[in-house]
Amino acid sequence: MATSLTAAQLESIAQNPYKQDFPLLRDNPSLAFLDSAATAQRPNIVLDAQRRFYETMNANPLRGLYRLSVDATQAIANARAHIARFIGARDHNGEPQGDAVVFTRNASEALNLLAHTLPQVVELGPGDNVVISIMEHHSNLIPWQQVCAATGANLVYLRLDDDFSITQKEIEAKIGPATKIVSVTHVSNVLGVQNDIAAIAARAHAMGALCIVDGAQSVPHVHVDVRELGCDFLAFSAHKLGGPLGIGVLWGKPDLLDAMPPFLTGGEMIDSVTETGAVWSPAPQKFEAGTQDAAGSFATDACLGYLECLGMDAIEQRERLLATYLCERLQEKDYVTIVGSGDPNRHIGAVSFDVTGIHPHDVASILDMSGVCIRAGHHCAQPLLTYLGWHSTCRASVAFYNDKDDIDRLADGLDQVWGIFNGSR
Amino acid sequence: MEVASLYNEQFMDHVTHPDYKYELEDATHEHDGINPSCGDELHLAVRLGDDGRIEETAYTGHGCAVSMASADMMSDLMVGKTPEEAIALCSLFKDMVTGAEKDMDKLEEELDEAALLKDVSHMPARVKCAELAWRTLAEMLKDGSI
């Protein structure tokens, strides 16, 4: 078995001090969970926080004047500030921009919020362009299709070169004076490649357009700093980080959030209401109609604390070794084709692949027999797969709580799949 | 270990050496079925005889092993059946893969080899794959499209 990893690196991914923090993984040692790009497993600290919220501070936040409600309100405010720190969103004085952090149900809702409110701000209309990339998840694609259909704007795609990169030339060709909104994923959920957001944002701003980043696949795996990216908005979901299901995050530049109309309306997002009108609360409340999942926000806060305790640099380093080992174990099989870059360093978390002549759903079903969990299908990125000439693929994705054994079990499982279909079992 | 028993040799034989995967030249009925989740695409063709019974069923298309093996087993089973009998068998097959019908004696008696796919009832994500051919046939026979 050929690998570029050193003995010390192999030893480090063979060790797994993290699994014990994750009850589902700890209690199911026969499971090789390689689908963290879909959702991460959750550490004890997150599950405990969720429970602690309900046991010690359960009340409807924002509304009550009594201690419990104040505690719940404070828990949400703390979570916002923590998230702002985590993504480098600070004001001129270096204070975290907690009020620029809007809670949604998921990254999709955060992107829908933008798609419903920004067109009014930028006065999007016929002749204007909205630019996305061909590698978008449907959640950053369909909302813009809808916006363009409703406003008469054109949807323009940044396409990939043969090396799965969006080149500077492509950026300059597609983002021009007619562009009003650019919305691009930071890391592809199919290919695992990372886009040069700083270059895309710089071009967008030079052309007078806004730049939105879908960070669903990057925030869990790499250090993300919105000032370094230079973007105007960042959307991601807590559940891919190891936080609870049902919490999404939208960070936006405060002046833009102020200029945007509300998305959903109702309780908890107004300052005053008359029979004929209402005055909106300032951001972020303006965008958070109805009772929020305060327990989820509190647990998200705890999740970030856990990740910071491990260190995003350490997480990134371990995941790079795991992704490299994963790519190399796949590449050693002549019946496996990696769909995406052959360079392991280009894969953040996810590696898509094809097993020659065997449908990805059959591959996933047979791997499931040995407790190996992978994703199979179009990965909510059908236009990308069509562009690349595939109908569906297999996808294995790693997080820091995976180890060498998980990947070895995938490799062995694939031999079994091949054997079943080719008569050598 | 339902999956292990599903992908057995008999099943795999239908995948690697299908008996009914070809263009039916003199079809009286044709219908397309798709399963968006897998991307399975099936073109199903049937020739009804003068006596109103199915003389031959064949299919073309591509998809996962479950959908293709299921189509092959179904094509074999349908020879000599009336449209009403065929529709009833499609309904019974659906009941089997959704777990609504568990009487193995009855299933083996009526569905013959297709009863091999009973384990799909433990794999909810694959029910649509297994059902594709049967759903397509039932739709075709019910609306009488040619």
Side-chain angles (χ1 to χ4, degrees), chain A residues 60-180:
Chain A
N60 200 323
L62 296 178
R63 232 174 290 199
L65 297 173
Y66 49 90
R67 171 55 55 190
L68 275 181
S69 179
V70 171
D71 287 349
T73 307
Q74 190 58 46
I76 295 184
N78 291 347
R80 288 191 213 279
H82 199 169
I83 289 166
R85 284 202 307 279
F86 193 77
I87 59 172
R90 292 175 183 277
D91 63 19
H92 296 304
N93 301 320
E95 293 298 316
Q97 295 172 315
D99 286 344
V101 171
V102 177
F103 283 115
T104 60
R105 283 182 305 147
N106 41 50
S108 295
E109 188 176 281
L111 293 161
N112 271 273
L113 188 161
L114 294 172
H116 279 83
T117 56
L118 278 187
Q120 192 176 320
V121 176
V122 303
E123 296 176 349
L124 192 70
D128 293 334
N129 290 345
V130 173
V131 178
I132 63 175
S133 85
I134 192 67
M135 64 170 88
E136 298 312 315
H137 187 283
H138 293 163
S139 60
N140 194 31
L141 193 155
I142 300 169
W144 303 113
Q145 278 183 343
Q146 296 290 105
V147 162
C148 289
T151 60
N154 308 306
L155 189 59
V156 175
Y157 286 89
L158 293 163
R159 298 185 188 273
L160 310 178
D161 68 1
D162 293 341
D163 195 34
F164 304 95
S165 300
I166 297 172
T167 62
Q168 186 62 29
K169 194 176 158 199
E170 177 72 357
I171 292 169
E172 286 170 16
K174 298 290 175 64
I175 302 174
T179 306
K180 289 268 180 85

Side-chain angles (χ1 to χ4, degrees), chain A residues 359 361-370 376-378 382 391-392 420-422 425, chain B residues 1 3-4 7-9 12 15-16 36-41 63-66 123 126:
Chain A
H359 194 285
H361 283 197
D362 293 315
V363 176
S365 282
I366 296 170
L367 287 173
D368 181 45
M369 172 172 69
S370 14
H378 53 58
Q382 261 182 309
H391 199 101
S392 66
I420 286 174
F421 274 75
N422 295 278
R425 58 175 168 157
Chain B
M1 287 295 134
V3 184
Y7 289 85
N8 58 33
E9 281 175 32
M12 286 308 303
V15 178
T16 50
S37 72
C38 271
D40 300 328
E41 291 178 3
C64 65
V66 174
M123 304 159 66
R126 309 306 300 278

Side-chain angles (χ1 to χ4, degrees), chain B residues 84-105:
Chain B
E84 293 72 25
E85 288 167 345
I87 289 168
L89 288 169
C90 292
S91 174
L92 179 64
F93 182 85
K94 181 180 180 178
D95 286 347
M96 176 180 78
V97 293
T98 55
E101 176 59 67
K102 293 188 166 67
D103 181 347
M104 270 323 287
D105 290 340

Side-chain angles (χ1 to χ4, degrees), chain A residues 232-286:
Chain A
D232 298 298
F233 298 95
L234 174 73
F236 62 97
S237 55
H239 73 94
K240 286 186 165 73
L241 281 159
L245 288 165
I247 296 287
V249 171
L250 174 66
W251 167 82
K253 284 186 176 162
D255 56 328
L256 290 168
L257 292 178
D258 285 345
M260 283 152 57
F263 173 40
L264 303 173
T265 56
E268 317 224 14
M269 51 77 70
I270 46 84
D271 275 350
S272 64
V273 185
T274 63
E275 285 193 23
T276 53
V279 177
W280 316 132
S281 299
Q285 278 81 21
K286 177 170 65 173

